[in-house]
Structure formats: C-alpha cells, structure tokens
Amino acid sequence: MTLTSSKLTASLYAFISISFWGISFVSTKAVLAKLDPFSIVVFRFGIGALFLLLLLLIQRTRLRVSIKYLPHLLVLGILGVFVHQLLQVTALLTIQASSAGWLISFSPIFTVILSVLFLHEKMTLSKAAGMVLAITGVLLVTTTRSGHSFAFSMNIGFFLMVLSTLNWAVYSVLLKSLRIPYSPLLVTFYMSLLGLILTTPFMIRNKGWKSLLLLNHTEWAHLLFLGVFVSGIAYWYWGKALEVLEATKVSMFLYLEPVSTLVAAVLLLQEKVLFISIAGGIIIIMGVIIVNGQLMPLLFSLFKKKRP
C-alpha cells in the first residue's frame, strides 16, 4: 500500500469514527431517561469489549501484553473511557445532543494549546484569532438552548462537555506519543476492559443492572449501537488513523462530528435547531480550521489558481 493510499485509508477510519461519535450523543440521550451515567458507560463498554474480544479471537491475535505497557494502557483507559465518557454522559443530562456535538469541536483547539505547552510550538496570530472565533461560536450555541439568554443557558453541562474535549485532546496526544507496540485493536480492547473495570463498582453501588429491565426495544438498539459501533469500532478506527496520520490532522475530522450530531438529533430526537445554532456551529468550525492553519493556505491556493 502506497503512502497516499495509506493516508486515505486512515482518513476514512477517522471519518467513520467521527460519524459514529456524532450519533452517539443522540443514542446516549435516548437511554439517559432509564439508565444513570455510570450504568451507560459500563454496559456500552462491556458490549464493546466483548465485541473487540470476538474480533481478536477470530483473527487469532495473541492477547498477552508486556507488563511494561500496563501503566500506559491504564492511563488510556482512565482518560479515554472512565473520565471522558462520564463527563459526556453527565453533561447530556442538562444539554441537548446537538449542542454537545458542536461543543466537541473545541477539542482541536486544546490540541493546539497542548502542543504549545509541551511541544514548544509557537502561538501565532492566526491561531489566537481562530481560538477567539471558535469561543464566540460556542457562546452563540449556548444561547440557543430553550431560547434563553447566555446568562441562563450556561450550566454545568456545558462546562463538563468542554472539559471532556480537553480530556480527549490529552488522550489523543498520549495515544499517539506512547507508541505502544501492539495493534490498535488489541490496545482498544484492553483500554475498554480497564475502563470497564474502573467504572463497574459505581454501577454496582447504584444497582444499575436493574434498569436494564426497563429498556424497550428502541432503547436496547441505542445501547447496542453505543457498545458495538461507538465504544468498539470507533475507538479502534481512531487508533488506526493515529497510526498513520499526525494527531493534529486526525483531530481535523472532529469538525465533521457536529454535522453528524445535528442531523441525528433532528431526525431521531426531533430537536429544534435555530439558525443561530447553525451559525454558531459554522463559526466554531471556521475557528478551529484557522487554529490548525488550514484556512489561509486554502485561500492562497485558490487565489493562485484564479490568477492568469
């Protein structure tokens, strides 16, 4: 496989992951009425871990890993599953699925900030302008919730969702930089298994298993989708994309996640999306594109093509 085709394949993996994650906010919102946040995380990653284990057995992949890399897997499990998912599920108790999808586009900005702090990259004027523009878009999105003003619409849910984007930026950078010498499928399996183990005591305390009896067929479908496609395939494909592409380039695909969330929220949850929410989302996307230095080169190349 050539380098170009390899990058295209990695881009496809990232796109599929983002599509599933965008819809995941809608599916999570659909089961939150019956299941508490801890139970959702336990059940979806339990299903995801079983699915990944089945794939590993089919491929006859060796399950043994060196004890040297257990701390790495534990950190990834804590950040990628335990912390990240609990932040998002708890946030969805108080915000709409479409708003969550727009706010997740904040993650690439945090990726840039982490690069400045730990990789000593320079903060340029265009990056600063892009960050301000994206923050403006976030504020516009928050004002659309229930038609309230910003002062009334901002709540703990929006804070938790933004915090989860920071956590995801840290997770993605670590997943890329740790260079664990095992396949993304095996790494994702152990990460899911460790995250599941860490979360299970909280589910047992809340007796969350009793709530499974309350789920109808539609809610079970949402839970299975969260387990197989969102917790299993999407995490696996994200790792495969990071094997080939730089973390900042993979994070570019997060700009597409709000579109997936918005479409799913309108079609499945009948959420109302005002024009200002769409405008705010577009501004967020423009901001994060500028942050990653992609807008000006694009405009420059278009200008060059138009010149005789």
Side-chain angles (χ1 to χ4, degrees):
M1 183 180 291
T2 64
L3 180 61
T4 301
S5 61
S6 179
K7 288 184 177 180
L8 286 175
T9 303
S11 298
L12 179 60
Y13 285 139
F15 175 76
I16 293 173
S17 296
I18 290 303
S19 299
F20 288 152
W21 284 332
I23 302 173
S24 73
F25 295 114
V26 175
S27 292
T28 301
K29 194 79 173 178
V31 297
L32 264 176
K34 304 286 182 63
L35 300 176
D36 64 89
F38 288 108
S39 297
I40 292 176
V41 174
V42 169
F43 295 138
R44 61 175 278 190
F45 277 93
I47 294 170
L50 286 174
F51 172 75
L52 294 172
L53 178 61
L54 179 62
L55 290 180
L56 288 168
L57 294 176
I58 292 175
Q59 295 181 5
R60 297 183 179 180
T61 302
R62 186 180 180 183
L63 299 179
R64 182 182 298 178
V65 297
S66 172
I67 193 172
K68 171 184 176 182
Y69 295 103
L70 286 182
H72 301 67
L73 294 171
L74 181 60
V75 169
L76 291 174
I78 292 174
L79 292 179
V81 178
F82 183 71
V83 174
H84 185 70
Q85 294 302 326
L86 286 179
L87 284 174
Q88 286 198 355
V89 173
T90 306
L92 285 170
L93 290 171
T94 55
I95 65 175
Q96 291 184 341
S98 54
S99 295
W102 292 123
L103 289 170
I104 207 68
S105 294
F106 220 41
S107 188
I109 294 179
F110 288 124
T111 302
V112 172
I113 294 175
L114 290 175
S115 298
V116 171
L117 293 177
F118 299 104
L119 302 180
H120 308 293
E121 295 182 2
K122 293 182 180 180
M123 171 61 77
T124 63
L125 181 61
S126 63
K127 287 181 179 179
M131 290 175 63
V132 172
L133 189 63
I135 291 172
T136 302
V138 170
L139 296 181
L140 283 177
V141 172
T142 60
T143 59
T144 65
R145 181 175 177 267
S146 303
H148 294 160
S149 65
F150 171 72
F152 292 97
S153 62
M154 179 59 73
N155 56 37
I156 189 64
F158 286 102
F159 171 75
L160 291 176
M161 186 57 65
V162 172
L163 190 60
S164 77
T165 64
L166 171 59
N167 176 78
W168 187 256
V170 174
Y171 164 78
S172 295
V173 170
L174 281 176
L175 184 60
K176 178 71 175 181
S177 61
L178 288 176
R179 299 183 182 278
I180 302 175
Y182 298 105
S183 69
L185 180 60
L186 187 62
V187 171
T188 305
F189 166 69
Y190 278 112
M191 183 193 72
S192 301
L193 184 62
L194 288 170
L196 170 66
I197 293 172
L198 290 171
T199 316
T200 297
F202 297 94
M203 186 273 291
I204 294 176
R205 184 192 63 182
N206 296 336
K207 298 181 179 180
W209 67 86
K210 294 183 177 179
S211 301
L212 286 177
L213 300 175
L214 303 177
L215 298 182
N216 57 37
H217 294 301
T218 301
E219 290 162 343
W220 265 109
H222 280 292
L223 188 59
L224 289 173
F225 171 77
L226 287 171
V228 174
F229 292 95
V230 180
S231 301
I233 295 176
Y235 271 80
W236 172 28
Y237 280 6
W238 190 256
K240 288 176 72 70
L242 284 169
E243 261 194 329
V244 178
L245 300 174
E246 297 176 0
T248 52
K249 291 183 178 180
V250 175
S251 71
M252 290 285 289
F253 287 89
L254 287 169
Y255 309 149
L256 301 175
E257 186 169 346
V259 179
S260 176
T261 301
L262 182 62
V263 172
V266 172
L267 295 179
L268 300 179
L269 298 183
Q270 288 78 49
E271 286 191 4
K272 294 181 179 180
V273 182
L274 303 179
F275 174 77
I276 191 173
S277 179
I278 298 175
I282 293 173
I283 291 174
I284 293 173
I285 294 174
M286 287 177 60
V288 288
I289 290 176
I290 293 174
V291 165
N292 281 271
Q294 299 297 321
L295 184 61
M296 294 309 295
L298 177 62
L299 294 177
F300 180 72
S301 63
L302 291 175
F303 177 74
K304 281 188 66 177
K305 289 181 180 179
K306 289 183 179 180
R307 294 182 62 182

